[in-house]
Amino acid sequence: MSQLTPELERKLMTAVERMPAFPKSVQSILEMTRNINCLPKDLVGVIEKDPVMTMKILRVINSAYYGLPSKIASVGQSVVYLGINTIKNLALSFAAVGILPRFSTTGFDIQRYLLHSLTVAAVARILCEKYARAELDPTDCYIAGLLHDFGKVVFAQFMSVEFMKALASAADFEKPLYLAEQEHIGADHAYVGALLAKRWQFADSLVECIRDHHKEDVEPTAMGDCLRMADIICRKHAFGDAGNPWREEELTRIPARFGDDFEAIVAKVGSLEKIVEDAQSFAQIGTERAA
Amino acid sequence: MKVKMWGVRGSIASPGPKTVRYGGNTTCIEVRSDDDSLIILDAGTGIFPLAQTLLARLPVTANIFITHTHWDHIQGLPFFVPLYIPGNKVRIHGAYDIVSMQGIQQVMDVQMQYSYFPIREAELKAGIEYETLTVGQPVSIGDATVTPVLMNHPVTDLGYRVESNGKAMFFTGDHEPWLNIYKPEDSEYADYQGMMDLRQAELQAAIGKVDLLVCDSAYTMAEYPPKIGWGHGTFDHAFAMAQQVGAKRLVCTHHEPTRSDDDLEKVFAEALSRHPGLPFEVMLAREGLEIEL
Ligand SMILES: [Zn+2]
Ligand SMILES: [Zn+2]
């Protein structure tokens, strides 16, 4: 794919600096931090459900000053390094930036995007526990799931006209959303998400996982496999599609490590209901399903 | 290398008849390397009496290392008299603050605002430089090197390892051992524990072998439970750390401000009685204590 122009790249970088967080997390964080006895683990639980907060926290903590021996990949790990008080105050400063509008002007539903990200994240974590525990930390898969579509939020907020055209052609089943984005924007959300993750010094494995999550012929990795499989399960069950409608042919693209019995894989993941309930209450979204 | 304690009290200065033996000034440690380079660890109120001794020999070149920006570790900075005398050089080192997104220069900006202090920073006559440190990256001061190490406290806290001609000391600043935020029955417990253990191992490796460890020992075991998460350790924590890093000598500091000299000796003796045969020398920090390495 063609490279982004320097101007577009700059625009995207500043875009994300100004990105506001999600209503539910801002509300919860304000409530929790008024209580001096708030449990650190509850605060972590809220922060790690908000992709904007998570992304911003991991970005600052991975900044050069702390010279950390390895890349910090989760909110919990950030707490181990900088302490809960610092993470709490960081979250508060991000909360102060504002709240994402429930519906952005593009017709891209931000709450459904969040529902999709949260369910994919949770399912990817479980898949990793069941199928790839020896290869990587399930938390890394959770973060990959939470952030894999982050590029879409950036498009929705800051390149809304082009993104609306891409969404329209994906909704007509003309083509998958990422191809429509390439056509109308000049880059897809995977490319943009990876660009940001790389610029913010996230671990290479996460950057590559985000970048490749729609690519057809890439070397399979444990993180990439769990993310793809989680995305297939969630979109097939219509737990939010983040603007990319499900196509039956996607069932032929199940990564080899899971075997080819789709129902068996879903059964192994266990109850999806709890995951979806959790995500719905956080995304502040009713029980209605996507068309 | 010589180490001298100028302030050993935690949280708030506590002068008075009950603290006269150990002293009431807040944290400040003077370190002189073999070539007499001056390294000052923290700028609590103890830096004021230290400053008086420096005026006899001008110009002064001072290298101040701030562990963290809580008041009891910076409050003496505007009273560091050499800052006001032309020809002196003062270099202030410290951590990057991730929340305010500012380097260590804010330690002066914040304290010298019009409503809080009568002199503006621009009026300081000495040559002042600020250096925001990168964790793990050593700074050379004369024949010594100072290496910042990330500790555990409610704000970014750097411990400092000072090394000169084969001798080394480490000062923790304020530090509390890591604590699992999950309960054993939580699914995240084991992962978090693994990360904490890794941090502990990293810390030990970064401190390395030292001849002297100066360690936050604010509380007794009995006082600790309601103060978990406040960012300070106990005597027992300090003993454990000294043992882990194989320190030759341990100095316990950051004394509780309400603790009288008699009580301090009592609780220290109690902690020692539970740890007979410690393989290192151990003592309480007191103002004026000098240790040659
Ligand atoms: Zn202190
Ligand atoms: Zn402190």
Side-chain angles (χ1 to χ4, degrees):
Chain A
M1 191 203 314
S2 61
Q3 290 291 307
L4 302 191
T5 64
E7 192 210 350
L8 178 54
E9 200 183 315
R10 214 170 26 249
K11 196 169 155 191
L12 291 170
M13 292 301 164
T14 40
V16 182
E17 296 297 334
R18 296 203 310 262
M19 186 78 74
F22 288 80
K24 181 71 181 238
S25 45
V26 169
Q27 182 195 322
S28 309
I29 283 164
L30 293 178
E31 270 165 30
M32 293 172 109
T33 51
R34 257 179 238 130
N35 172 11
I36 196 160
N37 295 319
C38 145
L39 290 177
K41 66 173 180 179
D42 294 342
L43 196 61
V44 170
V46 170
I47 295 172
E48 69 183 4
K49 284 199 179 74
D50 186 318
V52 177
M53 292 254 181
T54 300
M55 194 105 175
K56 286 184 168 186
I57 284 177
L58 296 187
R59 183 191 72 113
V60 283
I61 200 168
N62 282 318
S63 73
Y65 283 114
Y66 296 108
L68 302 177
S70 54
K71 300 282 187 229
I72 303 300
S74 71
V75 178
Q77 206 183 356
S78 310
V79 172
V80 178
Y81 276 87
L82 286 195
I84 190 67
N85 192 51
T86 297
I87 300 306
K88 175 170 101 181
N89 281 279
L90 267 182
L92 272 170
S93 70
F94 299 144
V97 172
I99 291 176
L100 275 173
R102 189 181 150 91
F103 293 97
S104 55
T105 47
T106 55
F108 177 69
D109 183 340
I110 211 90
Q111 310 302 125
R112 295 207 72 83
Y113 156 83
L114 186 56
L115 177 66
H116 172 70
S117 300
L118 287 170
T119 48
V120 170
V123 174
R125 175 157 58 194
I126 296 170
L127 287 169
C128 181
E129 274 159 13
K130 308 269 179 190
Y131 290 90
R133 187 69 182 94
E135 289 163 77
L136 84 162
D137 185 340
T139 306
D140 293 354
C141 282
Y142 179 87
I143 297 287
L146 193 67
L147 300 181
H148 74 286
D149 276 349
F150 197 73
K152 291 181 192 173
V153 192
V154 181
F155 286 157
Q157 283 288 104
F158 300 98
M159 307 173 89
S160 52
V161 176
E162 301 91 327
F163 189 47
M164 189 156 49
K165 288 180 190 150
L167 282 168
S169 66
D172 295 343
F173 290 92
E174 268 174 38
K175 53 179 59 128
L177 181 60
Y178 76 98
L179 290 177
E181 289 165 344
Q182 287 176 14
E183 188 179 307
H184 293 282
I185 299 172
D188 63 32
H189 64 273
Y191 182 84
V192 171
L195 179 83
L196 294 168
K198 187 173 169 55
R199 176 64 66 90
W200 289 353
Q201 305 186 37
F202 282 78
D204 291 343
S205 54
L206 180 64
V207 175
E208 283 155 24
C209 180
I210 294 175
R211 183 193 65 201
D212 295 342
H213 80 267
H214 287 295
K215 285 202 185 130
E216 297 284 337
D217 35 54
V218 285
E219 237 353 77
T221 62
M223 197 192 288
D225 284 355
C226 293
L227 176 61
R228 279 164 189 250
M229 192 65 227
D231 190 56
I232 290 175
I233 291 173
C234 294
R235 295 197 7 269
K236 171 113 169 70
H237 286 85
F239 303 146
D241 57 19
N244 187 28
W246 169 253
R247 291 174 178 71
E248 278 305 316
E249 81 219 34
E250 293 182 51
L251 275 181
T252 61
R253 298 199 207 108
I254 292 177
R257 77 167 64 224
F258 302 105
D260 53 10
D261 183 349
F262 181 74
E263 293 312 325
I265 304 166
V266 174
K268 207 160 172 189
V269 170
S271 164
L272 294 170
E273 268 156 44
K274 174 87 176 64
I275 293 173
V276 176
E277 247 169 55
D278 256 21
Q280 276 172 334
S281 80
F282 195 82
Q284 292 190 317
I285 181 169
T287 46
E288 92 277 8
R289 294 218 162 161
Chain B
M1 182 159 63
K2 276 193 209 135
V3 178
K4 184 168 181 184
M5 316 294 293
W6 289 91
V8 299
R9 199 57 61 173
S11 309
I12 187 161
S14 324
K18 288 188 176 148
T19 56
V20 96
R21 295 203 303 281
Y22 288 89
N25 279 307
T26 60
T27 305
C28 180
I29 304 173
E30 174 188 9
V31 182
R32 292 279 180 174
S33 72
D34 294 336
D35 73 357
D36 209 33
S37 300
L38 172 59
I39 295 163
I40 300 171
L41 304 177
D42 274 340
T45 60
I47 204 173
F48 183 66
L50 163 61
Q52 306 305 309
T53 69
L54 300 175
L55 301 177
R57 216 156 39 111
L58 297 174
V60 173
T61 301
N63 300 279
I64 301 176
F65 289 80
I66 303 291
T67 60
H68 67 298
T69 50
H70 283 160
W71 281 116
D72 54 322
H73 298 255
I74 62 168
Q75 201 164 18
L77 206 49
F79 298 88
F80 186 60
V81 184
L83 287 170
Y84 298 90
I85 302 169
N88 290 340
K89 276 208 191 97
V90 182
R91 218 174 150 76
I92 301 171
H93 308 71
Y96 176 74
D97 178 22
I98 199 170
V99 175
S100 66
M101 294 195 281
Q102 291 201 56
I104 189 63
Q105 68 282 355
Q106 70 166 336
V107 73
M108 279 301 218
D109 295 352
V110 167
Q111 291 193 80
M112 300 190 90
Q113 295 175 65
Y114 157 76
S115 315
Y116 304 95
F117 200 74
I119 301 168
R120 294 186 322 126
E121 201 198 334
E123 294 171 283
L124 299 177
K125 293 286 182 286
I128 306 173
E129 287 174 64
Y130 297 95
E131 185 163 338
T132 299
L133 301 169
T134 298
V135 172
Q137 231 155 75
V139 180
S140 287
I141 307 288
D143 63 350
T145 36
V146 182
T147 311
V149 176
L150 189 60
M151 310 301 289
N152 185 41
H153 198 56
V155 66
T156 306
D157 182 298
L158 301 178
Y160 292 108
R161 178 185 160 89
V162 187
E163 208 173 344
S164 177
N165 299 315
K167 297 286 183 181
M169 65 89 66
F170 186 83
F171 174 46
T172 59
D174 291 357
H175 175 70
E176 178 178 4
W178 289 275
L179 214 97
N180 202 321
I181 63 172
Y182 296 99
K183 294 226 163 66
E185 59 270 26
D186 294 334
S187 61
E188 298 93 339
Y189 182 85
D191 269 359
Y192 200 89
Q193 191 63 40
M195 295 190 287
M196 282 168 45
D197 295 346
L198 187 71
R199 274 301 278 131
Q200 184 62 36
E202 281 169 6
L203 176 66
Q204 277 162 234
I207 295 176
K209 269 233 159 280
V210 285
D211 301 281
L212 169 66
L213 173 68
V214 181
C215 189
D216 178 347
S217 328
Y219 305 129
T220 65
M221 290 284 269
E223 291 162 349
Y224 183 57
K227 294 172 177 178
I228 285 175
W230 291 18
H232 302 286
T234 64
F235 292 110
D236 299 69
H237 289 143
F239 299 163
M241 185 187 276
Q243 205 140 7
Q244 284 152 358
V245 302
K248 293 205 182 104
R249 208 176 325 195
L250 168 68
V251 170
C252 295
T253 193
H254 209 276
H255 306 316
E256 234 287 313
T258 56
R259 190 130 41 227
S260 70
D261 290 334
D262 290 346
D263 284 344
L264 182 58
E265 284 170 357
K266 208 163 81 195
V267 295
F268 185 56
E270 188 277 330
L272 281 177
S273 72
R274 284 182 290 103
H275 298 268
L278 288 173
F280 46 82
E281 196 188 331
V282 49
M283 64 190 84
L284 288 168
R286 69 175 158 76
E287 278 178 35
L289 175 67
E290 267 183 280
I291 294 173
E292 179 142 15
L293 303 178

